[in-house]
Amino acid sequence: MSKLLNSHMDLAIRCLLILSAAPDTARSITELAAIDLLATRGADFGLMHTNLHGDLRTELGRLSGRDPRVRTAIQWSQLRGLTTRTVHGIQATEKGFDLAAKLDSPYYQQYRKALIFALDYVDRHTLDQVRAMIHAVAPRAFEEEQ
């Protein structure tokens, strides 16, 4: 397996794809973490037929395991001028939007498709409702594997 998958750079790029999917919407670290979790693990949450990252159960399948990683990824992207933090949350910069628009590998095409379902769910619910759904489902998904 590639060391790029789930690296800070990979996660920063996925956050850019999230931010570029709704350019006028600033997101918090927790929102980005939740959206990324739902996009990569959508089948676990009943949003898609398959998981983009397969059925491997790891700590990354839990929201609490993603927040610190997303925070580090956003710091990585801020240092490179790809994202900025505003009073409303995190947004992509023009440089970030340009990079996101150029990403057309099969993986990022699939991620964009998965984002449609994840964003639809997150944007129709409060963050507390999203957290509650993730916390209700994630432990069961881990128990089934053991």
Side-chain angles (χ1 to χ4, degrees):
M1 183 176 288
S2 171
K3 290 184 181 189
L4 179 61
L5 184 64
N6 283 323
S7 68
H8 298 308
M9 184 175 81
D10 179 46
L11 193 50
I13 289 170
R14 293 195 319 251
C15 287
L16 275 178
L17 292 174
I18 294 167
L19 296 169
S20 67
D24 296 327
T25 304
R27 303 280 184 182
S28 70
I29 295 291
T30 302
E31 285 177 302
L32 290 169
I35 294 166
D36 185 63
L37 177 60
L38 295 176
T40 57
R41 307 297 302 234
D44 290 341
F45 300 99
L47 300 178
M48 292 173 271
H49 294 294
T50 60
N51 287 325
L52 183 61
H53 284 185
D55 292 324
L56 181 65
R57 308 282 194 239
T58 68
E59 181 62 29
L60 294 176
R62 296 186 178 163
L63 189 56
S64 62
R66 290 222 179 197
D67 272 12
R69 293 181 51 78
V70 169
R71 184 171 286 105
T72 301
I74 291 301
Q75 290 169 345
W76 184 95
S77 67
Q78 285 177 313
L79 288 172
R80 285 151 184 84
L82 302 171
T83 59
T84 188
R85 195 176 292 264
T86 69
V87 294
H88 302 289
I90 298 156
Q91 291 186 293
T93 63
E94 285 303 314
K95 185 177 176 182
F97 284 122
D98 290 344
L99 176 61
K102 293 175 185 173
L103 298 170
D104 66 350
S105 72
Y107 172 78
Y108 291 125
Q109 289 172 9
Q110 289 292 79
Y111 188 82
R112 282 187 180 97
K113 288 178 186 176
L115 268 180
I116 294 167
F117 298 100
L119 288 169
D120 179 62
Y121 185 86
V122 169
D123 290 342
R124 288 185 297 112
H125 296 83
T126 67
L127 185 56
D128 285 340
Q129 290 170 325
V130 172
R131 274 192 196 134
M133 185 274 288
I134 289 171
H135 290 299
V137 173
R140 283 197 313 257
F142 281 84
E143 289 168 10
E144 290 171 9
E145 185 69 15
Q146 295 175 355

